[in-house]
Amino acid sequence: MAGSAGKMPIKRLPVLPAERALKVIAGRWKAVILYHLFDGPRRLSSLKALMPGIAQKVLIQQLREMEEHGLVSREIFAEVPARVEYSATSLGLSLEPILLALCQWGQHHADALDEKHRLADCIIRPRRAQHAHMA
């Protein structure tokens, strides 16, 4: 029933590494949520305000999935009323260059198919590499 936290996630992930990575970041809102958490912790109400197009139920579901997959952490502060903040974990922060690369590839793909006019700007922007020294 209950095993060690690192053994088996609640939802089984694919065994192929690329498929696993895509599964973990799949979803219309996960990249957007992570983008907003790259700058620091945020409350649910703050995330909702930054993403008016997302239903609160979907936002909570996406945050729970990202928490389950180790990308986001949730901290509950013992205040009245209780305050909850969501943060990108180091694992979540390590996705920043990957999301930037995906965005750039999406722009390249649109250019190649003459559909650049249909694209929005990338929301992932390069920043000073605080955690990019992984060699």
Side-chain angles (χ1 to χ4, degrees):
M1 193 160 163
S4 74
K7 271 193 175 175
M8 188 186 309
I10 295 167
K11 294 178 186 167
R12 292 194 180 171
L13 292 171
V15 295
L16 295 175
E19 188 182 5
R20 180 185 181 104
L22 290 171
K23 177 81 172 172
V24 168
I25 63 171
R28 177 176 176 196
W29 297 102
K30 286 183 183 175
V32 180
I33 293 167
L34 276 173
Y35 166 76
H36 291 302
L37 295 179
F38 287 156
D39 291 329
R42 295 197 184 267
R43 296 175 74 165
L44 185 68
S45 58
S46 170
L47 286 170
K48 179 68 180 94
L50 291 165
M51 297 179 287
I54 190 172
Q56 184 156 322
K57 178 182 175 183
V58 174
L59 175 58
I60 291 168
Q61 176 188 2
Q62 298 282 278
L63 284 164
R64 283 184 182 150
E65 285 180 23
M66 290 191 297
E67 188 177 2
E68 177 184 330
H69 293 141
L71 306 180
V72 168
S73 65
R74 177 173 40 117
E75 187 173 0
I76 303 168
F77 294 87
E79 300 175 359
V80 178
R83 178 170 52 104
V84 178
E85 284 186 350
Y86 294 89
S87 304
T89 63
S90 58
L91 192 58
L93 289 169
S94 72
L95 280 167
E96 190 172 22
I98 294 164
L99 293 177
L100 174 62
L102 281 171
C103 181
Q104 291 168 338
W105 188 88
Q107 289 176 323
H108 171 71
H109 184 260
D111 287 345
L113 298 179
D114 292 324
E115 292 189 338
K116 189 173 183 175
H117 64 282
R118 297 183 60 213
L119 281 190
D121 290 335
C122 283
I123 58 165
I124 306 295
R125 58 185 188 267
R127 301 184 332 172
R128 290 185 306 276
Q130 298 169 342
H131 52 272
H133 294 94
M134 306 176 192

